[in-house]
Amino acid sequence: MSRKIKLLWDFRGPDAKETAKHHTIHLKDFATIENLNFHEIDIQEKNPMLVAAFITVDEADMKIFRDALKPHRGEIG
């Protein structure tokens, strides 16, 4: 069974939440166009001024997403 990797993009400032929500659209579009599987795409709000958009993928597919989309960070699980 493959581990799941969460790739995250951080957005800061008063428009962080709306920007992160918009970024999730691009993540879904990329996965669809490239015919890649994913588990979840959503946002994670640390506080009103720091929100992350994320996609959770299988470890086997992580490099494809990482190299094409340049996430700010990643987490296992």
Side-chain angles (χ1 to χ4, degrees), residues 9-23:
W9 292 260
D10 296 316
F11 300 96
R12 292 173 171 79
D15 297 326
K17 189 171 188 175
E18 291 308 312
T19 304
K21 283 182 183 178
H22 181 78
H23 193 71

Side-chain angles (χ1 to χ4, degrees), residues 18-74:
E18 291 308 312
T19 304
K21 283 182 183 178
H22 181 78
H23 193 71
T24 63
I25 295 168
H26 295 294
L27 295 174
K28 289 175 190 171
D29 288 346
F30 176 79
T32 301
I33 290 167
E34 297 296 323
N35 199 27
L36 297 168
N37 295 321
F38 63 90
H39 296 279
E40 181 181 16
I41 295 175
D42 206 350
I43 64 169
Q44 173 176 312
E45 187 171 350
K46 299 285 187 184
N47 64 61
M49 298 291 280
L50 176 58
V51 182
F54 71 86
I55 184 169
T56 305
V57 301
D58 287 326
E59 186 174 24
D61 297 326
M62 182 272 300
K63 288 183 181 180
I64 297 167
F65 284 95
R66 183 199 65 198
D67 293 349
L69 301 176
K70 310 286 192 251
H72 297 147
R73 57 195 171 94

